[in-house]
Amino acid sequence: MQLLEMSLSGSVFILAVLAVRAAAVNYLPKKTFLVLWGVVLVHLLLPVRIPSSLSIYSRIPRFNQKADARQASEPLDDPDQVPKESSEADVGVNTGSDTNMDAEKEAASERFFEAGQFLTGQRRAEQQAILKNGLFVVWAVGFLGCLSVFAAMYVICIRRFCVSAVVKNEFVESWLKEHSGRRHIQIRQCGFVKAPLTYGLWHPVILMPERTDWEDKRRLSYVLEHEFVHIRRLDAAAKIVLAAALAVHWFNPMVWMMYAVCSRDLELSCDETVIRTFGESARAEYARVLIGTEEQKRMPLPLCSGFCRNVMRERIVAIMKIRKKSKAAGISAAAVVCVLAVMFATSSSTGIEEREAVPPAGKITNISLNLSNQAAADISNAVIAHMEKEYEGYYQLDNYEFSFCNEVIADDMLSLDIKVGADMTSILDPKDSHYAQGMLEAVEQIDDAAKKQAAQKLYAEYIEEMMRNYMVTEQTGFSYQVHLPAAQAAADGALSYDLFYLDENGREVTPFREDDRVKPLAGREDGRAYIEENI
């Protein structure tokens, strides 16, 4: 899955969560939104999607890159009508005349090769590679820049925090004993901070302002409990994952918004947990403590969790509206999470089928009265897979064009010729061919200096000649034939068919084989023989 596609679908998911949050932030448990943001983060960082018929992408038309491709796989409403133009797939129907078929094929070819409208496969590949590399460089600069900013800010803060002093008094020691766990918590104080905060994942530290009133035990209980909730829930790790998502999708403003809102929700959820701990009667007092700890402007701490002003009005309103837990609220929260996750975190159940049904970057001209367009697409896809396997390591194939023609029905079997056009680029370095390696072996075994020099010249001339075709794209054509039961041809279900190679005269030759693979231009012995015969 492409990064841009992940980011776009993630934006839709973020908008959905923001809409639900705006409507129900004071009615659902605050952990609901943390769970939703967690699902969004997984959606943004993992390129894996589970197909679902309940996904919103199953209910809306496919994206632009799929809209035109579906024309090749959807049957025509009227089999006697031929669409005149198509952006990526030209689907035609035979009128019963061979002359009409030839004329239509020629017309399609002329349209495709109009002057100024066709770029060779090599030029397109070069342009796409330049664009892709350029975009990657831009993304990488932004990604590394974001990581550098986060890392620099964190390092600066940690260096300043190192001068903090460990707090030791009766209240702190008692509190630490009551809140002991696997991770050792330290309570320190520092003049750098104006409000309490927590940092550190493996060795968490609660950092208090230098002017903290250690005699106000009630207020301290609220503050330390709030920070302890951050530590217990590993909010420091959540901040790191948020920073990672922001760095990866730095170009997406919706991810920046998610970062800000999710940070607020971490605080809201902590506030709710503290109120649950101390009871609803503590709401007003806790709100006053929150207002009392309103900090002055200070350096942002992206990877720390703080007890500070963070959209203060929203937090105070949320605190005053906290109610006792109820089954209805729990069920509603679970339903909201499940519905949004299924609708926005999954992919279309038909997306995979469409991708498999339509040949990549291919055009299909189906001149047949009996073969459905879906069947033509399925067969074309099988031909593509076979050709790419056959020429793997030797040639790269791109920009396929398929024409299904010369339809014959005999004994309830349908036979069709398949004319395939493709851009074919040689990717095997001539020096790596068996023929060249044989020549080189023969050169190395010659002892006579004059003959060795002449042999080296022959080898160099051969490599120079072959290099002219290396990484060069040419338009090529292939001929195949397909046999399948006539009863299956018009259906869109699973097909059973046989594919055959055709020679230049259109005669049926050998069928497809699983182990088909292009052979090297010549073997080692041929290369050796060439040197030995010419020296």
Side-chain angles (χ1 to χ4, degrees), residues 2 28 32 69 93 108 114 121-122 164-165 170 228 257 275 277 289 319 329 354 397 402 404 410 443 459 527:
Q2 298 295 326
L28 294 175
T32 305
V93 178
E114 285 180 352
Q122 184 179 14
S164 61
E170 183 179 347
F228 179 70
M257 182 177 294
I275 297 301
T277 301
V289 170
I319 289 170
E354 288 177 1
L397 296 153
F402 290 86
F404 290 80
V443 170
Y459 173 76

Side-chain angles (χ1 to χ4, degrees), residues 72-229:
S73 61
E74 295 177 355
L76 295 174
D77 294 332
D78 185 353
D80 295 326
Q81 295 181 0
V82 180
K84 294 182 179 180
E85 294 184 0
S86 175
S87 61
E88 290 187 5
D90 293 338
V91 182
V93 178
N94 188 12
T95 61
S97 169
D98 291 337
T99 302
N100 290 340
M101 289 191 297
D102 294 339
E104 184 163 352
K105 287 189 291 183
E106 293 176 1
S109 178
E110 291 174 359
R111 289 197 303 272
F112 190 73
F113 291 104
E114 285 180 352
Q117 298 298 318
F118 179 75
L119 292 171
T120 66
Q122 184 179 14
R123 289 181 59 193
R124 280 197 297 274
E126 291 174 353
Q127 292 173 353
Q128 291 173 358
I130 292 173
L131 177 61
K132 185 176 181 180
N133 292 336
L135 292 175
F136 176 78
V137 170
V138 172
W139 172 84
V141 169
F143 173 74
L144 295 175
C146 283
L147 289 184
S148 300
V149 169
F150 279 116
M153 293 173 65
Y154 188 73
V155 169
I156 290 173
C157 291
I158 295 300
R159 285 183 176 179
R160 293 188 178 185
F161 295 164
C162 286
V163 300
S164 61
V166 177
V167 178
K168 292 183 179 180
N169 59 51
E170 183 179 347
F171 174 79
V172 168
E173 292 177 358
S174 175
W175 187 90
L176 288 174
K177 288 180 180 179
E178 294 176 1
H179 297 78
S180 60
R182 293 183 178 179
R183 292 180 296 162
H184 177 67
I185 300 174
Q186 277 192 335
I187 298 179
R188 308 174 72 94
Q189 62 182 25
C190 175
F192 172 67
V193 299
K194 304 299 182 181
L197 60 85
T198 299
Y199 69 92
L201 185 59
W202 305 116
H203 304 286
V205 174
I206 298 176
L207 193 62
M208 303 293 289
E210 192 173 36
R211 296 183 179 181
T212 300
D213 183 4
W214 295 103
E215 299 300 324
D216 191 348
K217 296 181 180 180
R218 184 66 175 174
R219 176 182 176 277
L220 287 173
S221 296
Y222 291 134
V223 172
L224 294 178
E225 187 66 30
H226 181 98
E227 301 305 328
F228 179 70
V229 174

